[in-house]
Amino acid sequence: MKPKITYPPVEKRKLQRKHFLRVIRWPVLFAIVVSPIVNLVLGGKAWSLVVVLSIYMTWSLVISPDLVEYNRISQPIKTISFSCSLLALIDIFLAPGWALTVVPIVCFGGLVVSGILFFTDIDRQKHNLLPMLLLIVLAIIASIVGLSIMRKSTGWQFIAMGATAVTLLVACIITLRSDFIRELKRRFHIK
């Protein structure tokens, strides 16, 4: 008796990708383990943290991206989040003094891009609202904290980031109306 195969055969490209991931995993893990050891042996600044986050960022965004949250809103927001974290690490551990200017500008750009991607396809993207809301909330909190830290200068970058985040939040609420509350209920299971 021969069983009848009901599933489609696995494509050659998917098998090659699986094989590629299996092969590339070991050099990546080796680099993640070796770079902190080399950094400890050589001493100096903690450059290995930047290397490890960069490797993780490359793995997560390019080599093996999430398939569940792979949509036009989540991927750019994930890229912006990784980029801001990487810039902050570079500022803290390697070259201090510029992150309070650059990171809010990058986050501002991420808010603009995510807003454009959201509002150009509202019907499909309203189900992907949560990553954008998290970015908006983080941008508002970061702008409040940044403005309280930077009392000597104007902090225009934090003002621009916070104003863009608040404007984007208000635009989402006005545009979606009752769908906004419905999507929040779906995501947080509130009644």
Side-chain angles (χ1 to χ4, degrees):
M1 182 172 141
K2 215 173 184 185
K4 183 180 177 184
I5 298 174
T6 57
Y7 296 108
V10 180
E11 296 176 14
K12 184 177 181 181
R13 191 176 69 199
K14 289 184 180 178
L15 288 174
Q16 289 173 342
R17 177 173 168 71
K18 187 175 181 180
H19 179 67
F20 171 74
L21 288 175
R22 193 176 311 130
V23 169
I24 196 83
R25 179 177 293 134
W26 295 110
V28 167
L29 287 174
F30 180 75
I32 287 174
V33 169
V34 167
S35 64
I37 294 171
V38 170
N39 191 196
L40 285 173
V41 169
L42 295 178
K45 297 181 179 181
W47 53 264
S48 62
L49 293 174
V50 175
V51 170
V52 168
L53 184 62
S54 300
I55 290 171
Y56 179 71
M57 180 177 166
T58 305
W59 182 271
S60 178
L61 292 174
V62 179
I63 298 172
S64 180
D66 297 332
L67 296 180
V68 174
E69 289 291 327
Y70 194 77
N71 57 58
R72 69 186 282 191
I73 297 281
S74 298
Q75 289 307 105
I77 289 175
K78 190 175 178 182
T79 304
I80 292 298
S81 302
F82 275 136
S83 300
C84 290
S85 302
L86 188 61
L87 289 171
L89 274 180
I90 291 170
D91 180 71
I92 292 169
F93 293 108
L94 299 178
W98 51 268
L100 288 177
T101 304
V102 175
V103 172
I105 295 171
V106 172
C107 190
F108 165 79
L111 287 167
V112 170
V113 167
S114 64
I116 290 170
L117 291 173
F118 179 75
F119 286 110
T120 54
D121 189 15
I122 293 177
D123 292 334
R124 275 197 251 160
Q125 297 307 317
K126 67 182 177 184
H127 302 295
N128 302 323
L129 186 64
L130 187 62
M132 191 170 74
L133 282 178
L134 291 175
L135 181 65
I136 289 170
V137 168
L138 286 174
I140 291 171
I141 292 170
S143 64
I144 292 170
V145 170
L147 284 173
S148 63
I149 290 173
M150 295 184 72
R151 294 181 184 195
K152 296 178 184 176
S153 63
T154 59
W156 62 269
Q157 63 274 21
F158 289 106
I159 294 170
M161 180 180 66
T164 306
V166 169
T167 304
L168 195 56
L169 180 63
V170 169
C172 286
I173 292 171
I174 290 172
T175 305
L176 295 177
R177 294 186 185 96
S178 62
D179 287 340
F180 185 81
I181 302 297
R182 188 173 345 147
E183 287 302 319
L184 285 180
K185 285 181 181 178
R186 284 183 187 165
R187 300 295 174 236
F188 295 110
H189 305 288
I190 56 177
K191 293 183 180 184

